[in-house]
Amino acid sequence: MTDSGSGGGCPFGGAAGSGILGPLPGFRHVFGPPAAAERFQVDGEDPRSSPAALATLRRRLRGLATLMGTRPPGAAENPNLPSGYTYLAQLAAHDMVSTSLAFWSAGGPDPGVANVHGAPLRLRTLYGGGPGACPHAFAPDDARDQNRSRFRLSAHAGAKGDASCFRDIARAATPGTLGNRGGFGGAGRGEALIADSRNDQSAPLSQLTCLFQMLHNALLEMIPKPGTLPARALRERTAARFAVAREATTLVFRQVLRRDLLPRLLDPEVHALYDNPAPEWLEPQPEPGLPLEFSHGAFRFGHAMLRDTYRIGSFDDATLADLLRQNSTRGPNSVPLTRDWLVRWSQFFQMPGKPAPNLSMTLGPRYTAMLMGDGFFDPIEPGDPVGVAFRDLMSASLTGMRSVRDLCARAAALRPGLAARSALLADPAAREAALAAWIGRDSAVSLLTPEDVAALAAEPPLPFYILFEAEHEAGGERLGRLGSLLVAETVYGALARERLASEGEGDLGAAFDRLCAAWLGDTRFPDPPLVEDMPGLVTFIARRLGLEAADPAFI
């Protein structure tokens, strides 16, 4: 989940006269800076600089967000995407973009909004700056605390101390605060000891974060520990062990994205264009930074994947609201997690010989009503809809990103073969007619006029369009062609241009060998994690850490 700030006043509302017009460090636009006519507009005006256009935009997006927040009971599940991939995509998003401020809450032409992740998909969201910069996330190597290499983990509340119970992210009591439940015995409110606090936004996400931390710790244990050495030699050997475990964990993460997540998300034709030794880039030499059309447009699709209820741990019908409360922010007096909340990974990924997991919901412009209550995503201003849909739409509309019309025209020109099989991509009239039919289907709910419907169909916000396209072109089982192009171009581009030192010719095993040779000489992993998907990763960790028959169940 993103943009989870308070429900306070938004500088863009009412009589606001300016929006984000200045540079945004760490961001860019697909195909370079757009001209005024190529940007998202409202009746021919830029809502970032026109108070009238902004007021019209807010009114229209209120209606559109209301339609998007009414997913009907019994909506279809997605057999292509077990629900664990919702949270894997969220972890990947956190590893690509991190801003100090949501765009809908920024004001003025130079609001200080920046993407602080300069090198994407290197698991900075997990490691931060390492033990030196984030010592709270790592455990001392010994009683003298000269070095830190392992991630801290917490045992579940009430555990007896068995190693198999350490399956929650590290948490500690905050001195000077009141805490009356959970595992801290009234010593204070629970606080997450992780590098990126966003990874504790829900129980499944914090458990997935913990899973990759456990992978790091398992890999570290395979590397011989340094013996009695002088202080400098000890630091160097410890740093080498940490560097190898970190890069190996990142190699596995990137492999899972390539081989498991992206093939499930992308249109097969688009996937084939990028998953090969010579990808067919839309932008062969892009500018630095993450495209806004990806971060605040195409990659917001995950919010539509969220279910109303989940099987998780010992619960058969935990609500999404329950999952969002199981963290150190919303439930600081109820952490560390109890044993009942520890994930059985067969509930989130299809594991061999196990029952079917929770499935994500099909991709489409409909969000669960669970995101519209309990104070999770309050209105930005009085009169705005509650929930995440309105925030997604507002953030996208106030970035100055390229319009859907411009993106479709460019994609169709560069990929005529795809366009020939996509009326939405190639035919503006067909696209507008299909959009108008969806947006105008229930004016009694949306309060949108025919003029509003026509305007939104001609100039739809990109997050809405990506979900509409996925439903229209792929039955909601994966992204449509424009969404697939934007995601593939960005994610495969990051994997190709931000290569790890060990990546090169050959498979994952060859990368592990290069990594170990560079840092450890003749030492190799005795049991390397040669996995390509999340079920394989879960199975590997269970075997290495003795969790196959864990209680509570790990698989």
Side-chain angles (χ1 to χ4, degrees), residues 110-142:
D110 186 16
V113 176
N115 177 21
V116 301
H117 278 340
L121 300 181
R122 290 175 174 249
L123 277 183
R124 290 191 176 185
T125 190
L126 196 70
Y127 290 94
C134 299
H136 58 276
F138 298 90
D141 287 347
D142 54 43

Side-chain angles (χ1 to χ4, degrees), residues 220-244:
L220 191 72
E221 289 302 310
M222 290 189 223
I223 305 170
K225 297 179 180 179
T228 302
L229 297 170
R232 179 174 179 177
L234 177 62
R235 287 195 301 271
E236 291 175 350
R237 182 65 179 180
T238 300
R241 292 179 76 236
F242 177 81
V244 170

Side-chain angles (χ1 to χ4, degrees), residues 24-28 93-101 103 112-125 128-129 195-198 246 289-290 292 295-296 498:
L24 298 170
F27 289 107
R28 66 179 179 89
H94 289 177
D95 203 42
M96 299 185 77
V97 61
S98 177
T99 60
S100 60
L101 198 63
F103 282 7
V113 176
N115 177 21
V116 301
H117 278 340
L121 300 181
R122 290 175 174 249
L123 277 183
R124 290 191 176 185
T125 190
D196 188 339
S197 63
R198 296 176 300 168
R246 174 176 181 162
L290 195 70
L292 288 159
S295 63
H296 287 70
E498 296 292 340

Side-chain angles (χ1 to χ4, degrees), residues 421-444:
R421 293 178 287 281
S422 172
L424 292 182
L425 201 61
D427 187 340
R431 182 171 64 244
E432 289 187 29
L435 285 163
W438 195 98
I439 298 169
R441 73 187 195 282
D442 198 342
S443 59

Side-chain angles (χ1 to χ4, degrees), residues 178-264:
L178 296 177
N180 52 23
R181 291 184 293 133
F184 299 121
R189 293 160 58 94
E191 182 174 328
L193 303 179
I194 54 178
D196 188 339
S197 63
R198 296 176 300 168
N199 293 332
D200 188 33
Q201 290 176 339
S202 69
L205 181 58
S206 67
Q207 287 279 275
L208 186 67
T209 300
C210 184
L211 188 70
F212 280 96
Q213 292 178 327
M214 293 166 77
L215 173 62
H216 169 95
N217 289 352
L219 290 167
L220 191 72
E221 289 302 310
M222 290 189 223
I223 305 170
K225 297 179 180 179
T228 302
L229 297 170
R232 179 174 179 177
L234 177 62
R235 287 195 301 271
E236 291 175 350
R237 182 65 179 180
T238 300
R241 292 179 76 236
F242 177 81
V244 170
R246 174 176 181 162
E247 186 155 331
T249 300
T250 308
L251 283 168
V252 172
F253 173 68
R254 291 162 74 99
Q255 181 81 339
V256 168
L257 296 185
R258 284 191 188 97
R259 299 286 180 253
D260 197 13
L261 179 64
L262 289 171
R264 293 174 182 273

